[in-house]
Amino acid sequence: MPAIPANVRGAVITGWGTALPEKVLTNHDLEQMVDTSDEWITERTGIKQRHVGGSTVGLSVQSGRAALEMSGVDPASIDALVLSTTTPDRCVPASSAAVQHELGLRCGAFDVNAACSGFVYALVQAHGMIAMGAKKVLVIGTDTLARITDWTDRNTAILFADGSGAVVLEAVEGPGQLLSWDLDADGSAEKYLYSDIGSTIHMDGKEVFRRAVRIMVDSATKSMNHAGVTADDVALVVPHQANVRIIQSACDKLGIPMERASTVLHRTGNTSSASIPLALADALNNGRIQRGDLVLLVGFGAGMTAASAILRWGGGTDAAVLA
Ligand code: COA
């Protein structure tokens, strides 16, 4: 992807929020449903439990409202809503329309579907709208994969779950947070991970694993190169939360120690579009990101897609939110 032109209007994240359904499904619960064990799931994936239930609109409204409250932005002043989801509540209209209404927004709203890479796709799209004049954009990543998971298939039932994460992006004077980005897709690999309309997820786990590591590393490397930074400069990597062994393997190849990765999958499972904003919010809430830190977001998913971005947290030193 070409470098970001100089002097475009930049943006920073000024609020974030998350939502997880109340119902928790532990590995021990899964032992009662399919032929598996807590030990196997923990060792092979890093997942201990996941949240299931709720709708894409309902979870998005919860996380979006929390992000708006934290930023202090008047919902009526939001210029656009971008909702990343691969599990909309209806085929038509987009789930973002109902979310826009329930949050009291008065702006355009649309869904983005790039599977588990979708939140980064949506965030890049939102920065593009800010470069073109928008001042405030709400970006939400939500998935309700429990609805398209075959709970009798141990191959997939151990992985997928529901959740939502949101951020408010505001235009700034001076340099914004986005230093570089990369979006990739390879439609020839769609056969390894898909769900037909009205059906459940089909997955070739081994092939997805193999490709996931490669495309995450490729995308992250492109973003680091575009930003002119190295792995040593990255304070925190916020990866897609699919399998801790994928994260470990990608970090090893990138030369980033696991201590510098944010992981929440042990308690959330794979929440697709929600996984990166959930892991980002967790890191922020635990004080793991400070102003000026370089944060690498990197995801991969069905498509197969990959996406990454380098953020300088808080933007440049003279970044002040535009009124
Ligand atoms: N519980 C217990 N045993 C299981 C099992 C389960 N849920 N699933 C498979 N096994 C068994 C297999 O039958 C096999 O047994 P065998 O050695 O006697 O033949 C053994 O465990 C190893 O199976 P394998 O399929 O090689 O496991 P794996 O290490 O590849 O792990 C995944 C399977 C699905 C966890 C892993 O491939 C993965 O995470 N892939 C990526 C999936 C992904 O990220 N999808 C979302 C992308 S956004």
Side-chain angles (χ1 to χ4, degrees):
M1 219 30 84
I4 299 170
N7 303 323
V8 297
R9 178 189 271 181
V12 297
I13 289 170
T14 58
W16 54 91
T18 62
L20 291 167
E22 268 177 36
K23 184 174 175 190
V24 172
L25 200 61
T26 65
N27 290 351
H28 293 296
D29 294 328
L30 279 171
E31 287 173 350
Q32 312 303 314
M33 299 159 67
V34 289
D35 180 15
T36 193
S37 66
D38 171 46
E39 191 188 1
W40 192 94
I41 303 171
T42 306
E43 193 185 302
R44 306 308 291 170
T45 71
I47 299 167
K48 295 293 288 181
Q49 63 163 56
R50 68 286 290 142
H51 293 249
V52 294
S55 68
T56 291
V57 170
L59 291 170
S60 301
V61 169
Q62 262 187 54
S63 69
R65 186 169 285 134
L68 286 166
E69 281 172 11
M70 183 176 183
S71 69
V73 164
D74 175 4
S77 71
I78 292 286
D79 294 312
L81 164 63
V82 192
L83 170 60
S84 165
T85 186
T86 202
T87 47
D89 290 342
R90 291 173 154 168
C91 287
V92 179
S95 293
S96 48
V99 177
Q100 182 257 20
H101 172 66
E102 288 196 37
L103 287 176
L105 311 184
R106 295 190 208 134
C107 61
F110 60 97
D111 290 7
V112 164
N113 179 357
C116 306
S117 308
F119 181 78
V120 179
Y121 268 73
L123 194 67
V124 169
Q125 172 82 42
H127 279 88
M129 285 191 284
I130 285 183
M132 295 296 288
K135 285 191 180 163
K136 298 172 201 305
V137 182
L138 178 60
V139 182
I140 306 178
T142 305
D143 267 304
T144 46
L145 295 173
R147 298 187 299 186
I148 59 163
T149 298
D150 176 353
W151 292 101
T152 64
D153 172 19
R154 71 175 183 174
N155 186 34
T156 50
I158 57 160
L159 298 176
F160 298 119
D162 303 337
S164 179
V167 297
V168 172
L169 201 58
E170 294 192 65
V172 288
E173 299 275 10
Q177 65 185 11
L178 185 66
L179 301 191
S180 63
W181 54 279
D182 173 69
L183 307 180
D184 293 317
D186 173 8
S188 73
E190 71 163 24
K191 55 182 176 276
Y192 301 120
L193 183 58
Y194 67 92
S195 166
D196 287 321
I197 289 172
S199 185
T200 49
I201 300 171
H202 295 259
M203 182 183 79
D204 177 340
K206 273 199 184 315
E207 191 58 30
V208 171
F209 192 117
R210 205 174 60 79
R211 286 170 182 261
V213 174
R214 192 177 74 221
I215 63 182
M216 274 175 94
V217 170
D218 280 357
S219 185
T221 303
K222 285 186 210 160
S223 278
M224 288 193 290
N225 289 344
H226 290 320
V229 303
T230 68
D232 289 344
D233 301 322
V234 172
L236 194 78
V237 54
V238 183
H240 172 44
Q241 311 281 306
N243 182 323
V244 76
R245 291 189 297 130
I246 294 178
I247 298 174
Q248 174 80 64
S249 191
C251 281
D252 286 351
K253 288 188 162 54
L254 287 166
I256 299 176
M258 266 303 266
E259 304 81 70
R260 281 197 266 136
S262 176
T263 54
V264 294
L265 83 175
H266 53 285
R267 59 184 173 83
T268 64
N270 180 346
T271 57
S272 191
S273 291
S275 93
I276 287 180
L278 285 173
L280 178 64
D282 186 76
L284 287 162
N285 294 339
N286 287 299
R288 295 185 70 192
I289 302 176
Q290 305 302 324
R291 191 183 174 115
D293 280 352
L294 291 190
V295 179
L296 165 63
L297 310 182
V298 58
F300 69 92
M304 286 185 70
T305 57
S308 61
I310 302 272
L311 308 182
R312 180 187 288 118
W313 197 257
T317 45
D318 50 352
V321 171
L322 289 178

